[in-house]
Amino acid sequence: WIPLPATFEDYLAARSSKFRNHARRAERKLRACGRLDVREVTGADAFDEGYEALLRIERASWKEAHRTSINADVKQAALYREWGRTATVAGHLHLQLLLLDGEPIAHNLGCIHRDTYYYLKTSYAAAHRPQSPATFLRLRLIERMIARGIRSIDFCGTPYEWERQWTDQHRWHHVLSLYTDTWRGRILAGLDRRTHYSSSGDAVEHEDPRTQRPSE
């Protein structure tokens, strides 16, 4: 969870010098590769095209091999598409795309409600990992949210290792999970309860997203 300061410069000043140096190197590497364009999709007229670009990035990401990309499940891809169309009508959708010479290479998908940006999905094309496109685009996201007067960014869900470089703050969430009334749904519900309630104490455990699902 990132409580956003008044200016983007204030946010950078609060990060470590190592982080700031990494961000500068990432931007130089990316700009040396070609023309960069950060595109923001919030309206219904541009959503379908933007969502197709997001799916292209997901297919080109490391998540595809691990079966954790949006494309890995047809129903999941359809769910996010329908949710996105609905969210644009309500004025909550925020989809950000990074294009390199016109080719989409990274995305951030989120929902803005009141004064908080809820981070739902993010990914980048694996071929561009050496240029750190996700770092570049996430900085543009933070910069944009501060400019819009958004007060915080909530990463939601499981706390991942990569999030620690962006903030040292966290807050607890209530999780609502819905399952179908089938034998498979009942098994998953039982496993879910063990996942959320078997651990004790208040320590936050950070996970590597690449270990969350086997690749084979």
Side-chain angles (χ1 to χ4, degrees), residues 180-192:
T180 55
D181 189 19
T182 62
W183 66 266
R184 186 172 184 269
R186 290 190 287 271
I187 290 173
L188 290 173
L191 292 173
D192 191 42

Side-chain angles (χ1 to χ4, degrees), residues 107-123:
H107 77 79
N108 292 315
L109 176 64
C111 174
I112 297 175
H113 181 59
R114 295 179 180 171
D115 59 357
T116 299
Y117 172 96
Y118 294 93
Y119 217 143
L120 301 180
K121 288 289 184 179
T122 180
S123 199

Side-chain angles (χ1 to χ4, degrees), residues 8-17 20:
F8 181 61
E9 290 71 23
D10 288 341
Y11 172 78
L12 286 179
R15 310 318 303 154
S16 67
S17 58
R20 293 193 297 270

